[in-house]
């Protein structure tokens, strides 16, 4: 399985994501610079990592959404390529319209860095199939703008279309309906604020993120 990790100025979780993908796939992912005009041929997974792309100027993910490579990411998503956006990557996915909603400042206007308890809302997607439905897992978070917002009609549609992948067991940032991760209707694009790539090694405190990457191989 061929994977790629996008790298923006200010990315700081791209190497963590690369390690996670190599651990599961056995192959080093391609590191794709934001200014590149093409993705690797035959790529199966594209990851948009966490960090502070462009220093979060304007708003989180807004400038990264205008990068050269983004047009190719949108085309890949339309072809069914699996797209994973974590933290800042989730923010970028909402900015480019691959996922609905927006990520706003946390309810307490503070940066949150801690382990978060999540509930796997559904296990019928290519990202969650290795989990049990309603399984409780622990995944680290590290964000300032992780408060997921969408209007009620959009939230209802996400729930009706089975597009809520993860919820916070305890709402830590004010996200609507405790949402921690959402899928597109086709099920090949996932955005989530918690960092599964930081939970793949017991030496780092837990392995609950590993099953997300293992799901991608199923």
């Amino acid at each position: 399985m061929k994977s790629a990790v996008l790298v923006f100025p200010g990315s700081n979780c791209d190497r963590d994501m690369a390690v996670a993908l190599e651990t599961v796939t056995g192959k080093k992912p391609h590191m794709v610079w934001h200014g590149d005009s093409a993705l690797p041929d035959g790529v199966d997974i594209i990851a948009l990592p966490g960090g502070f792309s462009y220093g979060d100027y304007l708003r989180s993910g807004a400038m990264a959404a205008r990068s050269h490579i983004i047009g190719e990411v949108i085309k890949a998503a339309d072809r069914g390529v699996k797209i994973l956006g974590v933290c800042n990557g989730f923010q970028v996915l909402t900015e480019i319209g691959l996922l609905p909603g927006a990520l706003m400042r946390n309810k307490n206007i503070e940066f949150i860095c801690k382990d978060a308890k999540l509930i796997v809302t559904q296990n019928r997607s290519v990202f969650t199939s290795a989990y049990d439905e309603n399984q409780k897992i622990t995944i680290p978070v590290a964000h300032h703008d992780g408060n997921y917002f969408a209007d009620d009609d959009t939230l209802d549609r996400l729930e009706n279309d089975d597009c809520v992948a993860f919820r916070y067991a305890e709402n830590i940032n004010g996200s609507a309906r405790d949402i921690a991760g959402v899928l597109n209707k086709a099920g090949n694009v996932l955005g989530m604020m918690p960092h599964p790539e930081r939970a793949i090694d017991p030496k780092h405190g837990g392995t609950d993120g590993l099953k997300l990457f293992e799901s991608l191989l199923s």
Side-chain angles (χ1 to χ4, degrees):
M1 182 170 282
K2 183 182 289 188
S3 62
V5 178
L6 302 192
V7 183
F8 302 97
S11 295
N12 66 8
C13 302
D14 47 320
R15 302 298 168 181
D16 295 342
M17 183 65 74
V19 168
L21 288 168
E22 183 178 1
T23 297
V24 174
T25 67
K27 298 179 181 178
K28 288 183 179 295
H30 295 263
M31 306 303 287
V32 179
W33 183 237
H34 73 111
D36 291 349
S37 58
L39 293 163
D41 290 338
V43 68
D44 301 295
I45 304 167
I46 301 168
L48 285 70
F52 303 90
S53 58
Y54 292 91
D56 278 351
Y57 288 113
L58 299 182
R59 62 183 177 272
S60 300
M63 294 181 71
R66 276 72 185 170
S67 295
H68 288 297
I69 198 63
I70 290 299
E72 295 304 308
V73 174
I74 294 172
K75 291 177 184 176
D78 290 342
R79 294 194 304 270
V81 174
K82 301 166 188 174
I83 314 289
L84 171 63
V86 172
C87 200
N88 187 235
F90 187 9
Q91 295 160 347
V92 174
L93 290 177
T94 61
E95 286 285 338
I96 64 179
L98 286 182
L99 292 173
L103 283 306
M104 305 192 306
R105 291 286 166 88
N106 298 338
K107 63 181 179 181
N108 57 6
I109 319 298
E110 293 180 354
F111 186 84
I112 299 172
C113 184
K114 59 187 289 185
D115 285 343
K117 301 291 185 182
L118 306 182
I119 299 169
V120 181
T121 311
Q122 62 103 308
N123 66 348
R124 292 169 292 282
S125 79
V126 295
F127 299 94
T128 60
S129 61
Y131 294 106
D132 295 328
E133 188 168 355
N134 296 320
Q135 182 176 346
K136 293 184 178 180
I137 60 176
T138 301
I139 304 288
V141 298
H143 58 251
H144 191 259
D145 296 0
N147 182 352
Y148 183 73
F149 172 83
D151 61 74
D152 285 338
D153 287 344
T154 299
L155 293 169
D156 288 343
R157 187 171 67 251
L158 285 171
E159 302 215 46
N160 292 336
D161 291 341
D162 206 19
C163 290
V164 177
F166 301 100
R167 296 187 197 272
Y168 296 106
E170 178 183 347
N171 197 322
I172 59 174
N173 54 23
S175 289
R177 302 189 190 180
D178 304 325
I179 290 173
V182 298
L183 297 150
N184 66 337
K185 189 171 183 178
N188 66 306
V189 179
L190 170 67
M192 59 187 298
M193 288 310 298
H195 288 265
E197 78 282 4
R198 296 183 181 178
I200 65 165
D201 188 328
K203 299 185 184 69
H204 296 160
T207 59
D208 283 350
L210 190 59
K211 286 187 176 181
L212 185 146
F213 295 97
E214 292 174 342
S215 297
L216 290 170
L217 295 180
S218 302

